[in-house]
């Protein structure tokens, strides 16, 4: 019979029962094979008793990351919703102790400044000034070249905001342990800049991030609540993708103006807490 086994959150196999000990499997290692209802500690599997003569009955197994293949069982993860953040969590986010957490907070501040300066420049330049001229409050001439310059300047001001936001996105993906993240941080960010393909990838980069991040933080005991709302992340991805549509796209652009800021506000908080929990605990050991 072929067995799969999990060591350090990584799944291995299949291999024969006689090879398990050679591969580092102990009585406390979780294994699975065809015919088993769920993952079990190797010491509790009757077919492997001859490998562990001193094995005793273990406690119930934890929920595995993923089944080895379609025939393996999969237990639905339990998530906690509507749980307010603790005072400790709010304090860690407001005042990060680790260099990693402080760096994310700094990048978020830079993102916020350039984001609103860029949009503010566009709104004031394209709407406020022309309106003042039309009302004869401001004596000034403007033409098509003026609007072109305003748009170009707004885009240039937005570039730093995009850079900082992508750095936050990259760092968040990078701090989700392998086995929980569905993609690498480089792919998560890089594929967003591939034309047309990014219309699909925005769902993986943001909605997928919310799912993977929440699962990782709860499974690892880093938090008991969802820090990145999955429904909101899905709505954000839909709005971003809808910007290419005629007519609806204009509404999506306006919606994206607010949703992007909310998205990265939520994302930077989750990212700071994740880093504080991981690197803070490492520093205290």
């Amino acid at each position: 019979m072929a067995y799969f086994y999990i060591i350090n959150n990584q799944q291995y196999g299949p291999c024969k029962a006689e090879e398990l000990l050679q591969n580092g499997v102990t009585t406390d290692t979780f294994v699975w094979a065809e015919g088993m209802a769920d993952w079990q500690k190797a010491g509790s599997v009757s077919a492997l008793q001859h490998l562990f003569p001193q094995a005793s009955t273990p406690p119930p197994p934890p929920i595995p990351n993923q089944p080895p293949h379609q025939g393996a069982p999969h237990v639905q993860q339990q998530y906690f919703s509507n749980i307010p953040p603790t005072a400790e969590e709010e304090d860690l986010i407001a005042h990060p102790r680790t260099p990693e957490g402080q760096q994310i907070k700094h990048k978020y501040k830079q993102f916020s400044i350039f984001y609103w300066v860029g949009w503010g420049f566009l709104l004031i330049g394209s709407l406020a000034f022309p309106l003042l001229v039309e009302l004869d409050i401001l004596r000034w001439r403007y033409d098509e070249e003026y609007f072109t310059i305003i748009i170009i300047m707004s885009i240039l001001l937005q570039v730093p905001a995009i850079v900082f936001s992508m750095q936050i996105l990259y760092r968040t993906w990078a701090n989700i342990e392998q086995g929980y993240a569905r993609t690498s941080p480089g792919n998560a960010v890089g594929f967003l800049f591939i034309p047309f393909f990014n219309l699909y990838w925005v769902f993986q980069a943001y909605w997928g991030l919310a799912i993977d991040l929440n699962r990782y933080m709860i499974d690892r005991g880093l938090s008991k609540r969802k820090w990145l709302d999955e429904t909101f992340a899905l709505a954000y991805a839909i709005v971003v993708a809808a910007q290419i549509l005629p007519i609806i796209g204009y509404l999506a652009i306006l919606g994206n103006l607010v949703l992007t800021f909310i998205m990265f506000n939520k994302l930077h908080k989750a990212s700071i807490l994740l880093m504080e929990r991981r690197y803070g605990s490492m520093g205290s050991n």
Side-chain angles (χ1 to χ4, degrees):
M1 180 179 293
Y3 288 87
F4 295 86
Y5 56 96
I6 295 177
I7 296 179
N8 294 329
N9 298 312
Q10 294 293 319
Q11 180 184 294
Y12 300 93
C15 69
K16 297 179 181 179
E18 294 73 17
E19 299 173 339
L20 291 175
L21 293 180
Q22 302 174 18
N23 296 335
V25 173
T26 67
T27 55
D28 294 325
T29 303
F30 286 94
V31 299
W32 184 90
E34 289 287 350
M36 293 174 59
D38 205 344
W39 292 85
Q40 296 182 38
K41 285 190 175 182
S44 68
V45 179
S46 57
L48 301 178
Q49 290 297 313
H50 65 286
L51 299 177
F52 313 106
Q54 304 299 323
S56 58
T57 303
I63 299 173
N65 284 343
Q66 295 179 344
H69 57 75
Q70 292 182 346
H74 177 65
V75 181
Q76 180 67 35
Q77 299 280 3
Q78 180 181 9
Y79 292 109
F80 299 88
S81 57
N82 301 322
I83 295 180
T86 65
E88 179 199 9
E89 289 174 333
E90 290 183 330
D91 185 57
L92 284 175
I93 293 171
H95 309 286
R97 275 67 161 176
T98 67
E100 293 79 11
Q102 293 170 1
Q103 186 179 38
I104 287 296
K105 194 170 187 67
H106 181 62
K107 289 184 182 300
Y108 174 72
K109 289 181 178 179
Q110 292 174 311
F111 156 77
S112 301
I113 292 172
F114 282 102
Y115 186 78
W116 288 117
V117 167
W119 277 107
F121 186 86
L122 177 62
L123 294 176
I124 293 174
S126 61
L127 298 178
F129 279 1
L131 179 61
L132 292 176
V133 172
E134 293 297 330
L135 295 176
D136 289 331
I137 297 176
L138 182 65
R139 300 291 181 178
W140 180 54
R141 291 184 179 182
Y142 62 91
D143 51 23
E144 292 182 0
E145 291 185 1
Y146 164 77
F147 289 105
T148 301
I149 294 174
I150 288 295
I151 292 175
I152 293 175
M153 288 297 297
S154 175
I155 293 174
L156 291 177
L157 288 171
Q158 286 284 351
V159 168
I162 294 173
V163 172
F164 292 127
S165 66
M166 291 300 100
Q167 289 177 339
I168 294 173
L169 183 64
Y170 181 95
R171 291 297 301 276
T172 306
W173 274 108
N175 279 281
I176 301 177
E177 283 185 18
Q178 203 171 24
Y180 284 90
R182 67 188 60 200
T183 186
S184 67
N187 289 344
V189 173
F191 288 173
L192 288 173
F193 295 91
I194 301 177
F196 302 110
F197 180 76
N198 54 10
L199 298 177
Y200 154 76
W201 192 252
V202 68
F203 289 89
Q204 297 296 323
Y206 293 102
W207 185 31
L209 174 62
I211 295 172
D212 295 350
L213 177 67
N214 290 330
R215 181 165 63 96
Y216 170 64
M217 293 187 72
I218 293 174
D219 283 0
R220 288 302 188 192
L222 302 178
S223 179
K224 292 184 178 181
R225 71 187 299 269
K226 292 182 178 181
W227 277 94
L228 197 56
D229 186 81
E230 295 163 19
T231 302
F232 176 81
L234 174 60
Y236 175 71
I238 293 174
V239 169
V240 172
Q243 292 181 89
I244 67 167
L245 299 176
I247 302 178
I248 297 178
Y250 292 107
L251 297 176
I253 291 174
L254 293 177
N256 186 52
L257 169 62
V258 177
L259 292 182
T260 294
F261 186 77
I262 296 175
M263 180 68 191
F264 279 93
N265 179 269
K266 292 176 177 289
L267 184 57
H268 102 279
K269 289 181 179 179
S271 186
I272 288 176
L273 183 62
L274 171 58
M275 293 181 183
E276 290 298 300
R277 293 295 197 200
R278 285 195 63 184
Y279 298 104
S281 60
M282 288 168 57
S284 62
N285 292 336

